[in-house]
Amino acid sequence: AMKDYIASLTPTLYPGTHQEDHWALAYSGEWETVRDPGAVLGAYRRASEPGATVSFVFEGRALTLTPGPVGGTIEVQIDDGAPRRLEVGGEPLRLFSAPCPATHRARITLLRGQIGVDSLTVYSAD
């Protein structure tokens, strides 16, 4: 019974800070691990090819990306909402905020420049 239960779980980011190599993050396209002493725990994932994506499920009311020292334009889509274009400039960036915690699906796509994932932070309250 436990084996069946575990196999049916959707990998999810719960409230807290999660590293770029978390098992719930699904990367597609060309991504590389970059060693950087300024990164949280010394490394981050980086993509330079437009169309590279990272998708995941998170449970909370807000989501922040810490991108590492890169810059570019990304598209962020939460659930079935309209995609939003955001500029990444190396500083933490709030990607989503809602009045109540819930489970959401997120997709971040690189449009231009570079995108890095050093960490993702999920908040249950502001």
Side-chain angles (χ1 to χ4, degrees), residues 16-36:
T17 299
H18 307 279
Q19 290 305 123
E20 74 283 349
D21 59 355
H22 192 281
W23 71 289
L25 302 177
Y27 291 93
S28 66
E30 297 294 321
W31 290 83
E32 63 180 327
T33 298
V34 178
R35 303 284 173 223
D36 182 338

Side-chain angles (χ1 to χ4, degrees), residues 95-114:
L95 301 179
F96 175 78
S97 185
C100 298
T103 301
H104 301 281
R105 293 189 180 280
R107 186 180 74 232
I108 304 168
T109 304
L110 176 63
L111 299 177
R112 180 185 56 78
Q114 295 182 337

Side-chain angles (χ1 to χ4, degrees), residues 110-125:
L110 176 63
L111 299 177
R112 180 185 56 78
Q114 295 182 337
I115 177 72
V117 177
D118 188 358
S119 66
L120 290 155
T121 303
V122 177
Y123 302 89
S124 60

Side-chain angles (χ1 to χ4, degrees), residues 3 11 13 15 28 42-43 49 54-55 59 61 78 80 82 85 90-92 95-97 99-100 103-104 108-109 118:
K3 185 177 179 181
L13 298 180
S28 66
E49 293 292 324
V54 58
S55 301
E59 186 174 301
R61 62 172 292 197
I78 306 295
D80 293 325
R85 287 182 179 222
E91 296 296 319
L95 301 179
F96 175 78
S97 185
C100 298
T103 301
H104 301 281
I108 304 168
T109 304
D118 188 358

